[in-house]
């Protein structure tokens, strides 16, 4: 009898109780719910914040030629765009991000959850340095599989609008034109700075989000976090990421524009920006990007958590 009582099942892992993704039989279902929730959240967030992304991209593409620039700041960019193309002009390139929102969210949150599942401790908590690494892995994954082609096409669409004779008549016509003229490589311009941008973005954001949530929960991974508080944490995470990697974002934008061929590579692009426009050029578009990113991250985490709660109740 004593021998039977002393038998320990080698496949039994009590620590999994603290990690619902690894412990429950429905972990695959939870992943599917995350993909759907992330896709819906991404679509809503993009429609709300895209005009700030448009303005940010236009300001970053507005290179200084002598003393003449196309725009004299955020308000001037918005005014000229609306005057020339109407309110819908601020949504040029939106379709690209809408088409890419579901796979982007799936890769980002899926990769982070998988990496997190492999690195949590016995209680289900993630160590600070592992939060950073898991976020980095999620960012690199989304950059390679989704963000680079999506962002390249988006930047080309926005840049095309400033041309004397715009050539893209719509999303599918634009993509087919890019592929026909430049091959598939044309949709993967700026891969290196995009990996650097997305990797640092998600490393910073997930690190800040997980750290703030852990602080609020007092180390208890099962303690719920209020949705408004989640949104506030997201705003903080977004702001930190903007200050941390806007220079990378400027280089990425230039490397994905229609005039990217004048740069040999990302390093050459950075050198030319520094030489001809000065160090402040690396922070072009910071304010509109700040507005977009803070709303983006805050809305994304807040709505994502809300949809996941709803799905967990309604989608058994």
């Amino acid at each position: 009898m004593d021998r039977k009582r002393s038998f320990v099942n080698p496949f039994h892992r009590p620590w999994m109780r603290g990690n619902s993704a690894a412990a429950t039989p429905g972990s695959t279902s939870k992943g599917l719910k995350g993909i759907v929730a992330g896709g819906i959240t991404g679509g809503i967030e993009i429609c709300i914040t895209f005009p700030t992304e448009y303005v940010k991209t236009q300001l970053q593409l507005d290179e200084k030629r002598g003393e003449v620039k196309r725009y004299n700041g955020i308000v001037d960019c918005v005014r000229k765009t609306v005057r020339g193309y109407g309110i819908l002009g601020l949504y040029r390139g939106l379709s690209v991000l809408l088409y890419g929102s579901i796979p982007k969210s799936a890769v980002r949150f899926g990769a982070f959850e998988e990496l997190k599942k492999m690195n949590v401790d016995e209680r289900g908590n993630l160590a600070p340095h592992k939060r950073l690494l898991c976020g980095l892995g999620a960012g690199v994954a989304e950059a390679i599989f989704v963000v680079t082609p999506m962002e390249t096409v988006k930047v080309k669409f926005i840049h095309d609008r400033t041309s004397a004779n715009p050539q893209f008549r719509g999303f599918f016509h634009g993509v087919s034109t890019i592929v026909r003229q430049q091959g598939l490589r044309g949709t993967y311009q700026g891969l290196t700075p995009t990996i650097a941008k997305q990797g640092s973005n998600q490393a910073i954001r997930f690190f800040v989000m997980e750290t703030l949530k852990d602080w609020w929960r007092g180390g208890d991974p099962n303690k719920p976090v209020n949705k408004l508080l989640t949104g506030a944490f997201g705003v903080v995470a977004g702001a930190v990421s903007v200050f941390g990697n806007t220079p990378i974002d400027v280089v990425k934008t230039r490397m994905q524009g229609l005039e990217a061929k004048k740069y040999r590579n990302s390093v050459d692009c950075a050198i030319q920006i520094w030489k001809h426009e000065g160090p402040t050029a690396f922070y072009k578009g910071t304010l509109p990007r700040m507005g977009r990113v803070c709303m983006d991250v805050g809305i994304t985490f807040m709505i994502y958590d809300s949809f996941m709660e709803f799905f967990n109740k309604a989608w058994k």
Side-chain angles (χ1 to χ4, degrees):
M1 294 293 290
D2 293 339
R3 290 180 180 175
K4 290 182 180 179
R5 289 195 186 98
S6 64
F7 175 75
V8 177
N9 182 355
F11 299 102
H12 175 62
R13 294 176 173 86
W15 54 266
M16 283 187 174
R17 292 173 186 165
N19 181 7
S20 58
T24 61
S27 58
T28 301
S29 176
K30 183 178 180 181
L32 183 58
K33 292 174 188 176
I35 291 173
V36 177
I40 297 172
T41 300
I44 295 172
E45 171 270 317
I46 288 167
C47 290
I48 294 173
T49 64
F50 187 81
T52 60
E53 173 70 12
Y54 178 91
V55 173
K56 179 219 70 168
T57 303
Q58 287 285 31
L59 292 178
Q60 290 180 345
L61 289 170
D62 190 22
E63 299 181 48
K64 190 175 181 179
R65 297 178 176 86
E67 295 299 323
V68 180
K69 292 199 300 182
R70 183 184 297 271
Y71 305 114
N72 293 315
I74 298 170
V75 176
D76 185 53
C77 179
V78 172
R79 185 187 300 118
K80 288 180 178 177
T81 301
V82 173
R83 185 168 62 237
Y85 307 104
I87 291 292
L88 294 180
L90 294 171
Y91 283 87
R92 179 70 174 181
L94 172 64
S95 59
V96 179
L97 295 188
L98 282 176
Y99 293 143
S101 64
I102 292 177
K104 177 182 177 180
S105 296
V107 172
R108 176 192 299 171
F109 287 102
F112 181 78
E113 290 299 332
E114 285 300 311
L115 291 170
K116 180 180 178 180
K117 185 167 63 178
M118 293 186 290
N119 288 281
V120 291
D121 61 18
E122 292 80 3
R123 294 191 61 196
N125 292 319
L126 197 62
H129 70 283
K130 291 184 178 179
R131 295 171 197 163
L132 201 65
L133 292 176
C134 289
L136 177 63
V140 171
E142 71 173 3
I144 294 173
F145 295 109
V146 183
V147 177
T148 298
M150 183 178 71
E151 285 282 308
T152 301
V153 173
K154 180 210 71 178
V155 171
K156 290 183 186 297
F157 268 50
I158 292 176
H159 206 174
D160 180 62
R161 173 65 79 180
T162 66
S163 303
N165 298 302
Q167 58 179 322
F168 303 147
R169 295 194 296 268
F171 174 75
F172 294 106
H173 175 261
V175 173
S176 62
T177 300
I178 292 169
V179 173
R180 185 172 62 252
Q181 294 177 351
Q182 304 173 29
L184 287 176
R185 182 180 180 182
T187 64
Y188 262 88
Q189 289 178 321
L191 175 60
T192 300
T194 301
I195 289 176
K197 177 199 170 186
Q198 294 306 121
S200 58
N201 257 347
Q202 303 314 325
I204 294 171
R205 292 174 190 175
F206 277 111
F207 173 80
V208 173
M209 281 297 299
E210 291 291 317
T211 300
L212 290 175
K213 283 183 175 181
D214 185 61
W215 165 77
W216 173 258
R217 289 167 173 159
D220 179 6
N222 297 314
K223 181 179 178 180
V225 181
N226 179 276
K227 294 298 172 293
L228 290 178
L229 193 58
T230 298
F233 290 164
V235 170
V236 174
V240 174
S241 70
V242 168
F243 284 113
N245 73 357
T246 290
I248 298 174
D249 189 45
V250 172
V251 173
K252 175 198 73 71
T253 299
R254 293 286 180 87
M255 290 301 295
Q256 292 174 331
L258 296 177
E259 298 178 0
K261 59 186 178 183
K262 69 183 182 181
Y263 305 119
R264 291 196 299 273
N265 50 47
S266 299
V267 174
D268 179 59
C269 177
I271 292 173
Q272 289 199 40
I273 292 173
W274 180 280
K275 184 185 300 182
H276 300 296
E277 301 173 63
T280 57
F282 287 106
Y283 278 90
K284 281 187 173 183
T286 296
L287 287 180
R289 186 182 180 220
M290 177 74 77
R292 182 198 187 286
V293 168
C294 287
M295 285 192 293
D296 176 349
V297 182
I299 290 172
T300 295
F301 280 103
M302 185 167 58
I303 298 180
Y304 177 80
D305 284 0
S306 298
F307 271 114
M308 286 298 288
E309 280 192 6
F310 170 74
F311 286 159
N312 287 332
K313 294 177 181 177
W315 182 355
K316 300 296 183 182

